[in-house]
Amino acid sequence: MGGAFLARADDATAASWNPAGLSYLRLPEVSFVYSGGNLHSRTTNPSTSDFSDDRRHGSAPDFLAATYPVSIASLSGSAQLSFQRVISFTSDRTIDDHFFPAPETLNEPADLPFVRRSTIATQGGFDVLALGSGWQLTRTVRAGLTINRWFNGYEQIYDKPVDLGISHQEFRYDIRAWNVNAGVIWTPTERLNVGAVYKTGFQAEVRQSRLRRDPFADAGGVVIRERSVTSDDLGLNPRLNFPPSVGIGASFRPRSALTVSVDYTRTRWSEGSIRDFFDLGKTGAPNIFGRVPYPTLVTGVTPKDTEQIRGGLEYVVIRGRLRLPIRVGYFNDEQYFPSISRYVSIAGGQPLAVNGAPRFDALTAGAGIIIGPLLLDAAYNYEHGSYADLDGRAVSVKSHRVVTSVIYRHTHR
């Protein structure tokens, strides 16, 4: 439903959306979610016609949980242990840079338009192991909490063609941290739910390692120089400041078979940063940065606070014993990186670039079916957007994503 789930979170994934929704679970349940997709972006330099095609695809487990109903006196709810890959980095990526030399430089066939392909293989993600619980406190109020242990990270292999051969880089990044998700759901009438969730920010312990191998000209031909460095080698104590987020939503059922939901979420990416970050230059010498913004990782480019506006509906087709939910949705996704939104003319001077943040639009659709104790669901997400980056290049982005889930609910016979 476009991800508009904060007020209607009623399955095991409520742990990440709104843990108050865990209070709806009345049967022991095991859940598994898998997702995969691809992204294509094209960046064009309008002054030279050079362009870059960036394509990536990947898939990985997204969520796994075991949930059990519990009660204390008159209170009812559930407890859950779950795993979630909050940010997946697993992908295979190719970047094809297309160059078109100026006509006056075309002296030899080698000067004709050419393509250089870089490859980036990445594995891993920022994972969370969560212990959560949701409770129905009164007839109209539900509340829930998850305590989250962040762990893992990602490793990346980057091969880029250069004049003398291939520049090879390897990167490993690990994090450790704790945070909390807290949520409430209020049901003022039987048809209306209002939900809210707050996810605390955190400071993560980080360990970083890099390897770089580059070709250099030598009297005897080409030599390869390699350098491998870790944050421990450099005596660094890296820390990642990950931002908090807050979301509110409403869900209305005008009819028993129809649900309409809307959500709004805001994330304080302007607070994101990494301390004691480093990279390796071509010579293998480390460049150490006391603090860089995250996730832009570019000094002077502060991430933008973002907002997401989501809406969707579900209609359940009922034919005898058949229950077939059909869902559609839309969301508008503001990005954390700045872009050139427009130019303002200055009399007698250079144009002034006014920076904004691009917004991407997405359409979603999905359906589910119940087969005995199994609940099977699938959803499709298409997202697209375009903007001008800070160098004035035109960028267009399209992504496709498919998410599937299996839920087993154990019934007592």
Side-chain angles (χ1 to χ4, degrees):
M1 299 193 299
F5 204 47
L6 295 183
R8 190 58 66 178
D10 57 2
D11 62 26
T13 62
S16 60
W17 291 99
N18 184 346
L22 293 173
S23 61
Y24 285 107
L25 277 64
R26 291 289 182 262
L27 295 171
E29 178 177 306
V30 176
S31 308
F32 176 72
V33 181
Y34 194 89
S35 69
N38 62 72
L39 182 147
H40 174 218
S41 66
R42 172 172 287 203
T43 302
T44 304
N45 188 332
S47 63
T48 64
S49 297
D50 295 347
F51 69 91
S52 174
D53 264 332
D54 187 341
R55 300 177 183 271
R56 70 189 76 178
H57 61 89
S59 59
D62 186 274
F63 185 82
L64 176 65
T67 311
Y68 196 84
V70 292
S71 61
I72 300 176
S74 62
L75 300 180
S76 61
S78 69
Q80 181 193 78
L81 182 65
S82 66
F83 162 87
Q84 183 188 9
R85 174 146 289 178
V86 180
I87 303 176
S88 178
F89 295 98
T90 299
S91 69
D92 292 312
R93 180 179 176 187
T94 59
I95 304 174
D96 290 331
D97 293 312
H98 298 252
F99 298 96
F100 296 86
E104 60 270 17
T105 68
L106 297 178
N107 299 319
E108 300 178 8
D111 292 326
L112 293 175
F114 62 95
V115 179
R116 282 185 171 174
R117 168 168 287 188
S118 302
T119 61
I120 304 175
T122 309
Q123 294 292 327
F126 288 174
D127 298 333
V128 163
L129 188 64
L131 180 62
S133 185
W135 294 84
Q136 183 172 4
L137 303 180
T138 69
R139 186 179 63 83
T140 61
V141 177
R142 301 170 186 267
L145 184 78
T146 61
I147 301 173
N148 310 309
R149 176 58 171 174
W150 292 68
F151 67 102
N152 204 2
Y154 62 93
E155 55 186 10
Q156 185 179 92
I157 299 175
Y158 179 21
D159 288 316
K160 179 179 180 179
V162 294
D163 291 340
L164 296 177
I166 299 294
S167 174
H168 176 87
Q169 300 181 49
E170 297 181 14
F171 176 62
R172 177 70 199 180
Y173 192 86
D174 293 287
I175 68 167
R176 297 290 185 274
W178 294 91
N179 89 314
V180 170
N181 299 347
V184 296
I185 294 176
W186 176 46
T187 308
T189 71
E190 185 178 348
R191 295 179 181 271
L192 177 65
N193 275 11
V194 179
V197 65
Y198 180 72
K199 301 179 180 181
T200 63
F202 57 84
Q203 185 178 89
E205 299 176 1
V206 176
R207 188 178 187 277
Q208 181 185 346
S209 63
R210 286 183 179 270
L211 178 147
R212 180 159 185 164
R213 190 161 54 235
D214 290 285
F216 288 86
D218 186 78
V222 176
V223 297
I224 304 297
R225 297 177 186 171
E226 179 177 303
R227 178 78 184 274
S228 178
V229 181
T230 71
S231 50
D232 293 340
D233 295 335
L234 300 173
L236 300 177
N237 186 28
R239 291 292 185 270
L240 165 65
N241 291 314
F242 201 87
S245 68
V246 62
I248 57 174
S251 181
F252 181 65
R253 280 184 170 159
R255 298 168 54 187
S256 61
L258 178 64
T259 302
V260 181
S261 296
V262 292
D263 282 359
Y264 173 85
T265 301
R266 187 168 184 84
T267 305
R268 297 291 300 272
W269 284 111
S270 61
E271 299 179 8
S273 66
I274 298 181
R275 189 183 75 195
D276 284 356
F277 181 79
F278 79 93
D279 63 17
L280 295 180
K282 184 177 180 181
T283 62
N287 302 305
I288 301 173
F289 305 90
R291 181 185 179 278
V292 293
Y294 182 85
T296 59
L297 299 180
V298 179
T299 302
V301 182
T302 302
K304 303 287 187 179
D305 291 343
T306 62
E307 61 181 18
Q308 290 181 326
I309 302 170
R310 299 172 175 269
L313 60 86
E314 175 191 71
Y315 183 78
V316 182
V317 177
I318 302 175
R319 295 289 186 272
R321 297 180 61 183
L322 174 68
R323 301 290 189 273
L324 178 64
I326 299 173
R327 310 174 184 102
V328 294
Y330 162 85
F331 66 87
N332 182 271
D333 191 6
E334 185 180 25
Q335 305 301 301
Y336 62 80
F337 51 86
S339 67
I340 299 176
S341 57
R342 61 189 175 93
Y343 282 98
V344 176
S345 297
I346 301 177
Q350 296 297 319
L352 171 66
V354 178
N355 296 335
R359 290 178 173 270
F360 294 174
D361 296 298
L363 298 174
T364 68
I369 192 169
I370 300 175
I371 304 175
L374 294 179
L375 287 73
L376 308 178
D377 289 271
Y380 168 73
N381 173 358
Y382 170 69
E383 188 170 1
H384 66 95
S386 60
Y387 61 96
D389 67 16
L390 297 184
D391 293 321
R393 299 174 300 180
V395 183
S396 63
V397 180
K398 294 180 180 179
S399 74
H400 304 266
R401 184 171 178 238
V402 174
V403 183
T404 58
S405 72
V406 178
I407 298 175
Y408 171 78
R409 289 178 177 165
H410 180 71
T411 57
H412 301 284
R413 297 182 181 275

